[in-house]
Amino acid sequence: MPVNSIAAVADAALAGVVEERAARDAELSAAQRRVAQIDENRRIGRDELTEVPLIGQMTEEAMFARCVLVMQKGSPIVVLPAPGDCSRARVLDLSTFVEAYRASIRTVTENGQVRSRQLTAVWRDSPSRIVVSSIVVALGRPRFVQDHAGNTAVNLWTPRARRQPTNWEELVRVFLDHVAFLVPDPEERARFLDWLAHAEQRPEILPHYGYLFWTRAFGVGRNWLSSVLTRVWRGEVAASLDLHNLLTSGFNGAIGGGIRCAIADEIRMGGSIASTYDLEQRWRQMMTAEQHTINPKYGHQFVEKNCVRWLNFSNHEDGLRLSREDRRIAVVENPAQPRSPDYYTAIYAALHDPDFIDSVAWFLHTRDISRFNPGALPALNAAKLAVIEATTPQLERDLAELLEEWQAPVAASSDLTALLEIAAADQARKRHLGLALARAGWRNFGAKVRIARGGGTSRLRVWVRDGYTAESAGAVADAVNEYRASAWFAALSRPHGGDGDGF
């Protein structure tokens, strides 16, 4: 090979190495930026909200109107914001309350002598002071509410004041254009925007469903959407949650204390079938519970009304197991390709413009949601079907086909395992089948049922459809014998072993 050709090859190889290193450096830089953005979202989402300022002096009228004694250990005092102040109510211990308002004094003249007394002492001794049983953080609720035990509580939450920037319609286009990119279907996009606006306008009413955004692509800008929401609802967003850790650690303080929206990044529930089912069940209970018992890692447990909307992101179709019967998750497939780097530079710059954040907040605050039904079921669209298909094991698909043809309200487990060709020694698949039956709306009858067969009896595990009421084990045995003698069962059946113990 000529020298110049060798040199050209060497140069090309060197250029390739340089290009590869540059790409790797750029990728590392993007990853580092992403980590920084996630950390910032977590901080902003849980920022301490501005509390009522300690002004040092308060009139007697204001103290009796704004100070609330809580009949709990330590007798905390809640100082409410003044009219027009959107600060969160402040909780003070008694000694801090006395010291903070030591300069607030009542002065009276008696028999020609001037006497003064601290207003905090006057307030404490008066039967006219406001007294409640507990403290809550209840989004969208009045200042005084009933707690989970039915007692009067003071609500620390204060409605936010929303500002209308003069050019808000122009500024909000950045947000709307990016939502249009992430949610391409106009009808689905309108529902998602209504869902967000409902969280802004009616935070006390929890919709029946949350969202799963999935795409195999990285860097499409879902983290930017998270960044916007953490700033719109500063202090009320649990951003970049590790959902698996939340469900397995026993500590759920991340979603307590007045959280309006929880955002889980890179969601993917792995592990065994049994553990996955267990995690799914815990999460659905967490999503739909009317109240949460919040167990923070540090501090005391407390009970709180559940107002948490869930927005989940995944780069895997099988990130979250869903069935056709799921009623809790709306699914959106995001674009498969990100936009240009300049586009993301521009939209991330908008995050630092207070007028932009106020414009998004104003849009959500004023959007017409009269047609939004928080109790509606999420659509079974192509994106959701793709997730269902990707997360449904073959055994569950086979079982679904079998149950479509099953005409009896009962089923002996040995018949099901034989029809599904599950080996007698395959305990893992038998356990999986039991979980799948429960998910499909069947329940274990309980005690094994004695069924006559070939001059003897067999003790079988039997499953029954939800809604079927069996008067006795004998009635269940009769139902099993009845379907075993039917033509439809004979059509399904094929040669298999004798009655086993099932599962």
Side-chain angles (χ1 to χ4, degrees), residues 137 148 157 194 228 236 259 262 351 364 375 422 447 456 476 502:
V137 180
H148 69 283
W157 181 82
D194 285 346
V228 173
E236 296 176 354
I259 291 298
L351 293 177
L364 296 177
I422 298 176
V476 173

Side-chain angles (χ1 to χ4, degrees), residues 5-60:
S5 298
I6 296 175
V9 171
D11 289 343
L14 179 60
V17 170
V18 171
E19 184 177 342
E20 181 181 348
R21 287 180 177 176
R24 189 164 58 245
D25 291 344
E27 183 178 339
L28 179 62
S29 178
Q32 290 173 331
R33 285 197 301 272
R34 175 172 168 74
V35 169
Q37 290 159 2
I38 288 173
D39 289 343
E40 184 178 35
N41 288 346
R42 285 175 176 158
R43 177 186 61 77
I44 294 174
R46 290 310 304 255
D47 262 358
E48 291 295 328
L49 296 173
T50 302
E51 293 183 322
V52 171
L54 296 178
I55 55 177
Q57 281 188 308
M58 190 181 291
T59 66
E60 184 171 345

